[in-house]
């Protein structure tokens, strides 16, 4: 069981959101941030560096937004839809852009294939959580 | 002249956005993140701690979202409206919520008055940048 | 297999460090940051709030240092011992302090027991990596 | 007056450290993180990209460590030398490495000259604070 899930299960207040969905979102955001940090560095080690620049930039954006989103949705008690909804939308959007770009490089760079998968899962987790919030 | 402005003025590419507006937004986001980190700690030092909990949580959210937004808008070359617009909306929303809550405590706690001001400026800077992006 | 491990296994350069040790450290740092973010929020929901303030502050420090350390050790190619060694020492120290404080609250608050475990593992992972770097 | 200084001046507890020194360190860390985020993106826009890769990586490390250090030294009340001293040492080290690398590129890239200056100031601010802590 992930720490996100264990922390949710021991939370001192009742949480309105589905705990499975929320724990999955926190884990997936954390995985995606981690994969994007590593992919940035792997991209910078490639021979076709000029073609990897867009991927580097999107991985940096994706890291920043996933990290912030994981933080905000982990603070359950003061949940504010005016912040959380556009933040999840921004996160789904950056995961989609970054996942698309990583997928373009996946045939040549295995690390981009792994990162694309992390981005896709994160995009879906954000969209699932958005749907549950409506 | 702030570092954000100096870095913009020496950027190797042409940037479509107004440099004054963008540099002001980066500086204001960075100031707001800094004020919220400090206000979190100041709130935790107050006697009326139970009444400060909402302020602490909103300051934590505000720090996370301002930090991510500053990062994303500092990466000018791959500017993606699908990410940037909802992110600026989320940031304006959390700055509004955090600024409102800080303002409630401002009569009793001077640090909340300072933090409320940083949040207000940041909310406006996000809205100004959003308007310029449309 | 974690994303940290998959990203290491597809890295385009040879990495001098033991991949098992490094992937474990990245995963453990990421888990600990996540647990500390959640424990901060759980602490703020407790009745004995005044007694939880030290735990909140240490969780905030631990989140910041674990996040930075995970980032730095994920960028393998420009590994600089002058930065990495004191950073791992700082991270082991904050994980020890935060783990000790969480353990004090563990008999009363289950979320602090979970967070203490994440901090202990992270302290050991930092020390293992430090030993391997020497 | 910076927000860091205003927040220090309205802090509800007595702080043992010199407020001028501490506020200067927080501002300088925040400036350096901001300059390094911008320099990463500027480097990625240069023609001589292969020669800029080391600079990009060091800017990413410098951003992470400066951000964490600014957070930790902003939480004044639970100041723990076992964490703060090695963290300031790590921060001074990464600012030195990053400043040296930026300086190498300064004759060709004005943005690296600006970033080198931000790194130098931050290295000194970390060393000044370390000296005051002893």
């Amino acid at each position: 069981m992930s720490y996100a899930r264990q922390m949710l299960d021991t939370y001192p207040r009742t949480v309105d959101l589905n705990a499975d969905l929320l724990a999955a979102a926190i884990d997936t955001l954390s995985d995606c941030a981690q994969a994007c940090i590593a992919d940035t560095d792997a991209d910078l080690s490639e021979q076709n560096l000029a073609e990897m620049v867009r991927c580097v930039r999107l991985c940096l954006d994706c890291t920043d937004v996933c990290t912030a989103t994981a933080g905000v949705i982990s603070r359950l008690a003061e949940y504010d839809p005016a912040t959380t909804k556009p933040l999840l939308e921004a996160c789904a959007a950056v995961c989609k852009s970054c996942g698309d770009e990583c997928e373009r490089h996946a045939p040549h760079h295995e690390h981009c294939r792994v990162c694309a998968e992390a981005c896709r899962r994160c995009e879906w987790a954000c969209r699932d959580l958005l749907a549950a919030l409506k």
Side-chain angles (χ1 to χ4, degrees), chain A:
Chain A
M1 204 193 298
S2 78
Y3 279 99
R5 186 56 205 254
Q6 290 182 65
M7 292 306 293
L8 270 177
D9 288 347
T10 58
Y11 195 69
R13 292 196 193 183
T14 313
V15 178
D16 283 338
L17 284 162
N18 180 295
D20 290 329
L21 206 64
L22 192 53
I26 296 169
D27 284 329
T28 312
L29 284 158
S30 178
D31 282 348
C32 187
Q34 202 185 72
C36 285
I37 291 169
D39 203 39
T40 299
D41 193 53
D43 289 348
L44 292 169
S45 300
E46 292 294 353
Q47 295 292 318
N48 64 334
L49 190 54
E51 294 156 54
M52 302 312 294
V53 165
R54 189 165 187 260
C55 195
V56 169
R57 283 190 170 111
L58 286 168
C59 280
L60 292 172
D61 283 355
C62 201
T63 303
D64 283 352
V65 181
C66 287
T67 302
T69 306
V72 169
I73 69 168
S74 296
R75 282 184 285 277
L76 313 157
E78 291 297 337
Y79 162 73
D80 175 4
T83 301
T84 311
K85 284 183 183 182
L87 186 59
L88 285 167
E89 277 160 22
C91 200
V94 77
C95 288
K96 175 160 182 20
S97 297
C98 191
D100 287 350
E101 180 66 18
C102 286
E103 211 161 272
R104 282 202 332 114
H105 301 290
H108 310 292
H109 303 319
E110 189 68 1
H111 53 85
C112 284
R113 191 196 53 73
V114 176
C115 192
E117 187 194 291
C119 290
R120 292 299 177 219
R121 289 190 181 175
C122 195
E123 182 194 346
W124 299 329
C126 290
R127 294 204 195 287
D128 285 349
L129 197 57
L130 263 173
L133 294 178
K134 271 162 191 169

